[in-house]
Amino acid sequence: MSNKKTITSSIREKNKAIILAAAKQEFVNYGFKGASIKRIAERANIARANIHYYFQDKTDLYQQLLSNIIAVWNNDYDTLSANEHPKQALSAYIRAKVMHAKSDPEASRIFASELIHGAPVLNNYLNSEFKVWINNKVMVIESWIEQGLMDKVNPHHLLFLIWSSSQHYADFNVQVVAALDKTAMTDADFDAVVDSLTQIILKGCGVIS
């Protein structure tokens, strides 16, 4: 019985992952209002009825996709800890954010679109869990400042700067490649982005080696 439940759970998670991947492409291309469950089903090569088996409707699918994006950012790309030196912590955070723009630009574009449209789905999150998360990071940066490990900068604006500069390479990649006179950014290009942003931001914060 246990093995059967494990197999069923595995199939369920696999199918949900396929649907979410197809939904990500659909929301990137058409936005929330223009997205179609019918096209998502076609992209996923799955019956439309099966999508409704896992998700109540388009809104539920969109909400779960956004929740997954936020979970990845908060868990896998979070290196800001008071136990770390700001040079190592901020360098790792900048690299993680840039590489996320490289590996999953669709996630960044969907998140940006949600905020641009007033965050109708993420409004509760922004006024609850997000505030707890950012307040914790502000406290970390303030502790570095108090220890004399970096200049007295506004922690909020420092975080905004890192987010905007790194996600620019996902959200506005078409503009970036045009400016660089390329058809696409290479691995070397993204490494150069990491090096440049790290140098500019850490120097601007007066981070001590």
Side-chain angles (χ1 to χ4, degrees):
M1 188 68 175
S2 178
N3 287 340
K4 185 176 180 180
K5 286 184 178 180
T6 300
I7 293 172
T8 301
S9 176
S10 177
I11 293 173
R12 178 183 177 84
E13 291 306 311
K14 180 180 178 181
N15 287 341
K16 285 188 69 174
I18 291 171
I19 294 169
L20 286 168
K24 181 183 288 186
Q25 292 298 322
E26 179 72 7
F27 289 127
V28 164
N29 291 338
Y30 297 99
F32 174 73
K33 288 187 176 180
S36 161
I37 290 291
K38 179 177 180 294
R39 283 196 300 265
I40 292 174
E42 291 171 351
R43 289 176 184 274
N45 194 28
I46 192 171
R48 180 171 178 169
N50 286 352
I51 292 183
H52 291 293
Y53 175 77
Y54 295 105
F55 303 94
Q56 294 179 4
D57 51 26
K58 185 171 73 171
T59 299
D60 182 37
L61 179 52
Y62 181 64
Q63 288 175 327
Q64 290 200 40
L65 180 60
L66 283 172
S67 294
N68 287 354
I69 290 171
I70 291 169
V72 168
W73 289 359
N74 286 350
N75 296 326
D76 297 346
Y77 298 88
D78 188 0
T79 63
L80 302 182
S81 168
N83 296 325
E84 298 290 333
H85 190 284
K87 180 178 181 179
Q88 284 71 44
L90 289 172
S91 296
Y93 189 57
I94 293 167
R95 170 169 286 279
K97 292 294 292 181
V98 171
M99 290 307 163
H100 184 67
K102 170 189 173 184
S103 64
D104 194 3
E106 293 86 0
S108 181
R109 292 167 191 160
I110 291 171
F111 185 82
S113 178
E114 167 68 10
L115 297 189
I116 288 170
H117 288 89
V121 171
L122 287 181
N123 186 58
N124 288 337
Y125 163 75
L126 293 175
N127 288 289
S128 55
E129 297 103 310
F130 172 72
K131 285 191 175 181
V132 173
W133 184 90
I134 195 168
N135 286 339
N136 286 335
K137 301 312 162 189
V138 165
M139 289 174 62
V140 168
I141 296 170
E142 288 177 339
S143 73
W144 291 334
I145 294 172
E146 291 172 1
Q147 295 175 64
L149 298 176
M150 61 187 293
D151 291 345
K152 188 175 181 179
V153 299
N154 185 301
H156 287 92
H157 297 309
L158 172 57
L159 291 170
F160 298 158
L161 174 61
I162 294 173
W163 299 344
S164 61
S165 60
S166 58
Q167 289 174 225
H168 179 87
Y169 294 92
D171 302 342
F172 299 99
N173 190 260
V174 172
Q175 180 189 50
V176 171
V177 295
L180 295 176
D181 196 23
K182 293 173 174 283
T183 56
M185 292 180 67
T186 64
D187 290 347
D189 289 326
F190 278 100
D191 285 334
V193 171
V194 171
D195 292 342
S196 294
L197 292 185
T198 302
Q199 179 181 11
I200 293 167
I201 293 172
L202 265 60
K203 187 173 183 180
C205 291
V207 172
I208 303 171
S209 301

